[in-house]
Amino acid sequence: MNKILITRKIPQKFIEQLEQIGDVVMWDKELTPMPRETFLSEVKDATACFITLSESVDEEVLTEASDLKIIANMAVGYDNIDVVRANDHDITVTNTPDVLTETTAELGFTLMLTVARRIIEAERYVQEGQWQSWGPYLLSGKDVHGSTVGIYGMGGIGRAFARRLKGFNTRILYHNRTQNPEAEKELDATYVSFETLLKESDFVICTAPLTPQTENQFDSKAFNLMKNDAIFINIGRGAIVDETALVEALRNHTILGCGLDVLRQEPIDVNHPLLKLDNAVIVPHIGSASRLTRDRMVQLCVNNILAVLNHQLPITPVKVNN
């Protein structure tokens, strides 16, 4: 009999689907990750594993999990999994691309507008009773319309973000691992070097995955190249940003502000200096957090597990080069 391990609490309707092919063992908490020790213990005899970004699948896990056939990761990114070693162990790894693209782009756009128009500061200003009168420049922000927007990472989410700019009469620049002629034609976007993107953009949006090439890409040098009234938005991965350099850039007004959905360490420490800055807006990795999209992500994980355990091809396998 198959044992299917699920490391976060998900709705019963999905559990029932998996119970048709195996015994389901689920961590019963939605907001608290399964402890590492528990994960290692439970994965030992699991046939399938439904995980989130909170779980790290390394050689220790793969060695223990001798019966494992599939790891279904509830995310697009898979930097929490050693995919090459998993494949060496004949374990299929799947992710959840496409189903969260539009929702994540919407969150990125929300962050851009929120930081640009200083919404968090303005709401706090009212709540704290500081609003005494209208002022000509009270909480004045930055226009998105007519601006230059640079997108770092023109994959699905980057393109979805760019589509949302059409009504704002913006100039769209992008930098990607490879040039994307289709995106250029569809979006009227211009491919530029990373340095040019930083120098010319009023808004810099990071949607890139974490790879050895993108890690720490936004460092002191990058922020120093940006305009001093530029706004930086990250909906990619936290480790793409040198957070010490970002804090310095915000404190010194090297850039105007930032909006972050992802951090190097999640959850962020309550004493992190970013949380003490008025020009930083931080949300708890909610890029794909609409009910419909999260349901679709869970269902895709379930469908991948059902396919593999029924000796069929996975729907969205992760493929990497050795």
Side-chain angles (χ1 to χ4, degrees):
M1 190 67 170
N2 295 312
K3 175 183 173 181
I4 302 166
L5 175 63
I6 304 176
T7 62
R8 287 295 177 98
K9 186 177 181 180
I10 61 174
Q12 183 62 27
K13 61 183 178 181
F14 300 112
I15 303 298
E16 292 171 357
Q17 296 176 48
L18 293 171
E19 286 177 336
Q20 301 300 311
I21 60 165
D23 294 325
V24 175
V25 175
M26 181 175 69
W27 181 243
D28 63 356
K29 295 178 176 58
E30 182 180 358
L31 299 179
T32 304
M34 176 181 278
R36 175 73 173 182
E37 298 76 17
T38 306
F39 181 49
L40 286 171
S41 175
E42 292 290 357
V43 80
K44 282 183 179 180
D45 57 347
T47 318
C49 191
F50 180 134
I51 68 170
T52 69
L53 288 172
S54 298
E55 286 72 54
S56 176
V57 178
D58 52 19
E59 186 61 35
E60 182 182 22
V61 174
L62 298 171
T63 300
E64 292 285 345
S66 57
D67 297 329
L68 202 57
K69 293 185 173 66
I70 175 173
I71 300 165
N73 200 36
M74 188 180 164
V76 175
Y78 43 84
D79 45 279
N80 57 317
I81 303 170
D82 188 336
V83 179
V84 173
R85 295 298 296 132
N87 291 168
D88 289 343
H89 285 265
D90 294 322
I91 300 170
T92 297
V93 177
T94 65
N95 63 343
T96 58
D98 303 327
V99 293
L100 52 70
T101 297
E102 300 295 334
T103 303
T104 303
E106 283 184 7
L107 188 277
F109 214 86
T110 301
L111 276 175
M112 179 177 66
L113 292 173
T114 297
V115 179
R117 296 305 303 271
R118 302 174 64 182
I119 298 301
I120 304 301
E121 291 176 79
E123 196 272 343
R124 189 182 302 127
Y125 187 83
V126 174
Q127 291 286 348
E128 294 176 351
Q130 297 183 60
W131 187 19
Q132 302 298 317
S133 175
W134 181 89
Y137 293 94
L138 175 65
L139 289 161
S140 56
K142 182 179 176 69
D143 287 322
V144 173
H145 72 83
S147 67
T148 297
V149 179
I151 300 174
Y152 178 66
M154 192 58 91
I157 295 172
R159 291 196 300 274
F161 188 95
R163 285 196 294 274
R164 284 159 173 76
L165 290 166
K166 285 190 173 182
F168 286 77
N169 191 32
T170 59
R171 173 189 177 215
I172 303 174
L173 307 178
Y174 80 97
H175 182 75
N176 203 49
R177 182 172 47 188
T178 55
Q179 196 165 346
N180 191 328
E182 290 183 7
E184 293 173 13
K185 182 178 179 180
E186 174 195 0
L187 305 165
D188 193 24
T190 302
Y191 180 80
V192 295
S193 69
F194 183 60
E195 290 75 13
T196 298
L197 181 140
L198 296 174
K199 289 177 180 178
E200 297 189 11
S201 298
D202 299 296
F203 298 87
V204 176
I205 318 299
C206 175
T207 69
L210 178 61
T211 67
Q213 290 71 40
T214 64
E215 187 172 6
N216 291 318
Q217 183 76 353
F218 287 91
D219 54 12
S220 294
K221 180 182 177 182
F223 291 121
N224 284 326
L225 286 172
M226 291 168 64
K227 298 180 179 181
N228 60 15
D229 66 343
I231 288 174
F232 173 66
I233 305 295
N234 188 11
I235 54 174
R237 279 289 182 266
I240 296 174
V241 179
D242 178 339
E243 289 177 1
T244 300
L246 176 58
V247 169
E248 183 180 356
L250 293 167
R251 281 178 175 164
N252 297 338
H253 305 290
T254 304
I255 64 172
L256 182 62
C258 77
L260 310 175
D261 184 44
V262 288
L263 287 302
R264 296 189 79 95
Q265 178 183 329
E266 297 180 3
I268 189 172
D269 188 287
V270 293
N271 296 311
H272 197 294
L274 279 169
L275 298 181
K276 296 173 172 53
L277 300 173
D278 287 337
N279 53 349
V281 174
I282 299 171
V283 294
H285 205 143
I286 56 171
S288 62
S290 74
R291 286 193 171 273
L292 177 60
T293 295
R294 288 289 167 87
D295 273 355
R296 287 173 173 169
M297 292 170 72
V298 173
Q299 186 64 66
L300 184 51
C301 287
V302 168
N303 290 345
N304 274 306
I305 291 171
L306 292 173
V308 171
L309 295 190
N310 282 317
H311 309 290
Q312 299 169 0
L313 293 175
I315 302 163
T316 52
V318 171
K319 298 177 180 178
V320 297
N321 295 323
N322 290 318

